[in-house]
Amino acid sequence: MPSSLLETFSWLDWLAIGCYFMCWTWYYYYCHMRLRTKRCLAATMHGYRYDWMKRMVDREVRIADATIMTHLERNGAFFASSSLLILAALFSLLGAAEKALTIVNELPFTRVLPSQLGIEIKLLLLIGIFIYAFFTFTWSMRQYNFCAILIASAPLPSEKDITPGARNAFAVQAANVIDLAANQFNYGLRAYYFGLALLGWFLHPLVLIFSTVAVVGILYRREFHSKTLKALAAGRDLNVSFRGILQDIEPSATAKPSLSPARDTTPTNTNH
C-alpha cells in the first residue's frame, strides 16, 4: 500500500497537499497569535459580546436575548445538517469511484488519467474535512445552548444580594462562552472554505495551491481588513472613522441637491 500510494501521486501532488495543510495550520496559529496584538473581527466582537451581557444582567425582560441566542444556534444547525448532506453525497461518490474517475477525466485542465486510488484518497480527504466541520458545528450548537441557560440563570436587577463584582464576573464569563461558541462556528466555516479549495486538486495540483492561497487571502482580508471590521471598530473607538458604503465617495458627491433661493419654482398659471 505505501509503495502504491507513492506511485499514485507525483511530487507535485505531495507539494500541493503539503502546502494545503501548512496554509491551513499557519492561518489558524496566525489568527490565534494576532488576537491580542492586531484588530480583528474576533477581538472586536468580544467587546460587543461583553457589552451585550453587561446590559443583559441589568435588564428585567430578556426575551430579546433568548431570541438572538436561538437564532445563533439555528445557524450552526443549518451548517451541521448541510455537512451531513455533503457527507452522504461524498460517500455515494466514493462507492462509484469509477464513474467519478470518468467524470474527472472529461473535465478540462485535468491531469492525464488520474488513478482510481487517487480519486478515492481525495474523496476520503474531503470526507474527513466535512466530518470535522460537522462535529465543529454541533459543538458550537451545544455551546450556544449553554449560553441560553446562562441567560436564563443570570441574576436579576432586583436581587440586591448580588454584588456589582459578581454581576460583572457573570457578564465576563457569559461573553467568554459566547466567544467559544462563535469560534467553533468560525472553525466550521473555515473547514468549508478549505474544503472548496481542495476541489482544485481534482483538476491539477497547481490549482490546489492557487485555490488554497486564494482562500487564505480571502479569510485574512475579511478577518483583519474588511469594511465590516472597520464599521464594528468605529462603533467602539472614536478614533476610527467609517462611512459605510459611502466610504470611497467624496463628501461633496453625497450632498443633497438644494433649490436655489433666487429661483422661483412655483408653477406659473398661463391661463388668463
PDB file of all heavy atoms in Angstrom, residues 54-68:
ATOM      1  N   LYS A  54     -23.275  42.559  29.719  1.00  0.00           N
ATOM      2  CA  LYS A  54     -23.313  43.550  30.798  1.00  0.00           C
ATOM      3  C   LYS A  54     -24.667  44.222  30.858  1.00  0.00           C
ATOM      4  O   LYS A  54     -25.213  44.469  31.956  1.00  0.00           O
ATOM      5  CB  LYS A  54     -22.222  44.600  30.549  1.00  0.00           C
ATOM      6  CG  LYS A  54     -21.986  45.541  31.710  1.00  0.00           C
ATOM      7  CD  LYS A  54     -21.328  44.817  32.874  1.00  0.00           C
ATOM      8  CE  LYS A  54     -20.942  45.800  33.989  1.00  0.00           C
ATOM      9  NZ  LYS A  54     -22.114  46.483  34.556  1.00  0.00           N
ATOM     10  N   ARG A  55     -25.234  44.529  29.706  1.00  0.00           N
ATOM     11  CA  ARG A  55     -26.560  45.153  29.691  1.00  0.00           C
ATOM     12  C   ARG A  55     -27.655  44.134  29.972  1.00  0.00           C
ATOM     13  O   ARG A  55     -28.706  44.472  30.508  1.00  0.00           O
ATOM     14  CB  ARG A  55     -26.796  45.822  28.339  1.00  0.00           C
ATOM     15  CG  ARG A  55     -25.937  47.064  28.131  1.00  0.00           C
ATOM     16  CD  ARG A  55     -26.060  47.617  26.728  1.00  0.00           C
ATOM     17  NE  ARG A  55     -25.379  48.886  26.562  1.00  0.00           N
ATOM     18  CZ  ARG A  55     -24.080  49.020  26.326  1.00  0.00           C
ATOM     19  NH1 ARG A  55     -23.327  47.930  26.201  1.00  0.00           N
ATOM     20  NH2 ARG A  55     -23.518  50.206  26.213  1.00  0.00           N
ATOM     21  N   MET A  56     -27.402  42.879  29.601  1.00  0.00           N
ATOM     22  CA  MET A  56     -28.402  41.846  29.840  1.00  0.00           C
ATOM     23  C   MET A  56     -28.660  41.640  31.332  1.00  0.00           C
ATOM     24  O   MET A  56     -29.810  41.483  31.756  1.00  0.00           O
ATOM     25  CB  MET A  56     -27.946  40.532  29.185  1.00  0.00           C
ATOM     26  CG  MET A  56     -28.951  39.399  29.246  1.00  0.00           C
ATOM     27  SD  MET A  56     -28.797  38.392  30.740  1.00  0.00           S
ATOM     28  CE  MET A  56     -27.145  37.734  30.551  1.00  0.00           C
ATOM     29  N   VAL A  57     -27.610  41.655  32.144  1.00  0.00           N
ATOM     30  CA  VAL A  57     -27.805  41.443  33.578  1.00  0.00           C
ATOM     31  C   VAL A  57     -28.506  42.625  34.235  1.00  0.00           C
ATOM     32  O   VAL A  57     -28.993  42.505  35.375  1.00  0.00           O
ATOM     33  CB  VAL A  57     -26.456  41.162  34.282  1.00  0.00           C
ATOM     34  CG1 VAL A  57     -25.834  39.886  33.771  1.00  0.00           C
ATOM     35  CG2 VAL A  57     -25.502  42.337  34.111  1.00  0.00           C
ATOM     36  N   ASP A  58     -28.552  43.766  33.546  1.00  0.00           N
ATOM     37  CA  ASP A  58     -29.241  44.939  34.090  1.00  0.00           C
ATOM     38  C   ASP A  58     -30.676  45.043  33.609  1.00  0.00           C
ATOM     39  O   ASP A  58     -31.376  46.004  33.968  1.00  0.00           O
ATOM     40  CB  ASP A  58     -28.476  46.217  33.710  1.00  0.00           C
ATOM     41  CG  ASP A  58     -27.106  46.279  34.362  1.00  0.00           C
ATOM     42  OD1 ASP A  58     -26.946  45.689  35.443  1.00  0.00           O
ATOM     43  OD2 ASP A  58     -26.192  46.913  33.778  1.00  0.00           O
ATOM     44  N   ARG A  59     -31.128  44.085  32.780  1.00  0.00           N
ATOM     45  CA  ARG A  59     -32.489  44.114  32.257  1.00  0.00           C
ATOM     46  C   ARG A  59     -33.369  43.115  32.994  1.00  0.00           C
ATOM     47  O   ARG A  59     -32.919  42.014  33.341  1.00  0.00           O
ATOM     48  CB  ARG A  59     -32.513  43.790  30.759  1.00  0.00           C
ATOM     49  CG  ARG A  59     -32.048  44.909  29.877  1.00  0.00           C
ATOM     50  CD  ARG A  59     -32.469  44.648  28.426  1.00  0.00           C
ATOM     51  NE  ARG A  59     -31.767  43.519  27.858  1.00  0.00           N
ATOM     52  CZ  ARG A  59     -30.666  43.603  27.115  1.00  0.00           C
ATOM     53  NH1 ARG A  59     -30.138  44.785  26.869  1.00  0.00           N
ATOM     54  NH2 ARG A  59     -30.093  42.531  26.619  1.00  0.00           N
ATOM     55  N   GLU A  60     -34.602  43.478  33.185  1.00  0.00           N
ATOM     56  CA  GLU A  60     -35.564  42.549  33.776  1.00  0.00           C
ATOM     57  C   GLU A  60     -36.096  41.576  32.728  1.00  0.00           C
ATOM     58  O   GLU A  60     -36.193  40.371  32.961  1.00  0.00           O
ATOM     59  CB  GLU A  60     -36.724  43.321  34.407  1.00  0.00           C
ATOM     60  CG  GLU A  60     -36.390  44.059  35.682  1.00  0.00           C
ATOM     61  CD  GLU A  60     -36.313  43.142  36.884  1.00  0.00           C
ATOM     62  OE1 GLU A  60     -36.659  41.948  36.748  1.00  0.00           O
ATOM     63  OE2 GLU A  60     -35.891  43.612  37.956  1.00  0.00           O
ATOM     64  N   VAL A  61     -36.438  42.102  31.547  1.00  0.00           N
ATOM     65  CA  VAL A  61     -37.003  41.294  30.472  1.00  0.00           C
ATOM     66  C   VAL A  61     -35.879  40.908  29.516  1.00  0.00           C
ATOM     67  O   VAL A  61     -35.170  41.788  28.993  1.00  0.00           O
ATOM     68  CB  VAL A  61     -38.114  42.063  29.726  1.00  0.00           C
ATOM     69  CG1 VAL A  61     -38.686  41.200  28.606  1.00  0.00           C
ATOM     70  CG2 VAL A  61     -39.196  42.505  30.695  1.00  0.00           C
ATOM     71  N   ARG A  62     -35.739  39.612  29.272  1.00  0.00           N
ATOM     72  CA  ARG A  62     -34.630  39.111  28.454  1.00  0.00           C
ATOM     73  C   ARG A  62     -35.114  38.252  27.297  1.00  0.00           C
ATOM     74  O   ARG A  62     -34.438  37.329  26.862  1.00  0.00           O
ATOM     75  CB  ARG A  62     -33.668  38.321  29.337  1.00  0.00           C
ATOM     76  CG  ARG A  62     -33.011  39.198  30.394  1.00  0.00           C
ATOM     77  CD  ARG A  62     -32.473  38.442  31.546  1.00  0.00           C
ATOM     78  NE  ARG A  62     -31.859  39.343  32.524  1.00  0.00           N
ATOM     79  CZ  ARG A  62     -31.411  38.978  33.701  1.00  0.00           C
ATOM     80  NH1 ARG A  62     -31.513  37.706  34.084  1.00  0.00           N
ATOM     81  NH2 ARG A  62     -30.883  39.851  34.533  1.00  0.00           N
ATOM     82  N   ILE A  63     -36.291  38.576  26.803  1.00  0.00           N
ATOM     83  CA  ILE A  63     -36.844  37.821  25.677  1.00  0.00           C
ATOM     84  C   ILE A  63     -35.997  38.028  24.426  1.00  0.00           C
ATOM     85  O   ILE A  63     -35.708  37.083  23.674  1.00  0.00           O
ATOM     86  CB  ILE A  63     -38.308  38.230  25.429  1.00  0.00           C
ATOM     87  CG1 ILE A  63     -39.166  37.901  26.650  1.00  0.00           C
ATOM     88  CG2 ILE A  63     -38.863  37.537  24.188  1.00  0.00           C
ATOM     89  CD1 ILE A  63     -40.609  38.351  26.532  1.00  0.00           C
ATOM     90  N   ALA A  64     -35.583  39.262  24.187  1.00  0.00           N
ATOM     91  CA  ALA A  64     -34.771  39.542  23.003  1.00  0.00           C
ATOM     92  C   ALA A  64     -33.448  38.792  23.061  1.00  0.00           C
ATOM     93  O   ALA A  64     -32.971  38.276  22.040  1.00  0.00           O
ATOM     94  CB  ALA A  64     -34.532  41.047  22.882  1.00  0.00           C
ATOM     95  N   ASP A  65     -32.841  38.707  24.233  1.00  0.00           N
ATOM     96  CA  ASP A  65     -31.568  37.994  24.361  1.00  0.00           C
ATOM     97  C   ASP A  65     -31.732  36.512  24.040  1.00  0.00           C
ATOM     98  O   ASP A  65     -30.904  35.925  23.336  1.00  0.00           O
ATOM     99  CB  ASP A  65     -31.026  38.157  25.786  1.00  0.00           C
ATOM    100  CG  ASP A  65     -30.925  39.620  26.183  1.00  0.00           C
ATOM    101  OD1 ASP A  65     -30.133  40.336  25.558  1.00  0.00           O
ATOM    102  OD2 ASP A  65     -31.647  40.031  27.100  1.00  0.00           O
ATOM    103  N   ALA A  66     -32.804  35.907  24.556  1.00  0.00           N
ATOM    104  CA  ALA A  66     -33.048  34.494  24.275  1.00  0.00           C
ATOM    105  C   ALA A  66     -33.348  34.265  22.796  1.00  0.00           C
ATOM    106  O   ALA A  66     -32.935  33.256  22.212  1.00  0.00           O
ATOM    107  CB  ALA A  66     -34.206  33.989  25.132  1.00  0.00           C
ATOM    108  N   THR A  67     -34.040  35.211  22.158  1.00  0.00           N
ATOM    109  CA  THR A  67     -34.346  35.087  20.733  1.00  0.00           C
ATOM    110  C   THR A  67     -33.077  35.137  19.892  1.00  0.00           C
ATOM    111  O   THR A  67     -32.901  34.360  18.949  1.00  0.00           O
ATOM    112  CB  THR A  67     -35.310  36.200  20.304  1.00  0.00           C
ATOM    113  OG1 THR A  67     -36.499  36.133  21.100  1.00  0.00           O
ATOM    114  CG2 THR A  67     -35.674  36.056  18.836  1.00  0.00           C
ATOM    115  N   ILE A  68     -32.174  36.067  20.219  1.00  0.00           N
ATOM    116  CA  ILE A  68     -30.913  36.163  19.488  1.00  0.00           C
ATOM    117  C   ILE A  68     -30.104  34.881  19.650  1.00  0.00           C
ATOM    118  O   ILE A  68     -29.505  34.375  18.690  1.00  0.00           O
ATOM    119  CB  ILE A  68     -30.117  37.385  19.983  1.00  0.00           C
ATOM    120  CG1 ILE A  68     -30.855  38.670  19.621  1.00  0.00           C
ATOM    121  CG2 ILE A  68     -28.719  37.391  19.379  1.00  0.00           C
ATOM    122  CD1 ILE A  68     -30.235  39.910  20.219  1.00  0.00           C
TER     123      ILE A  68
END
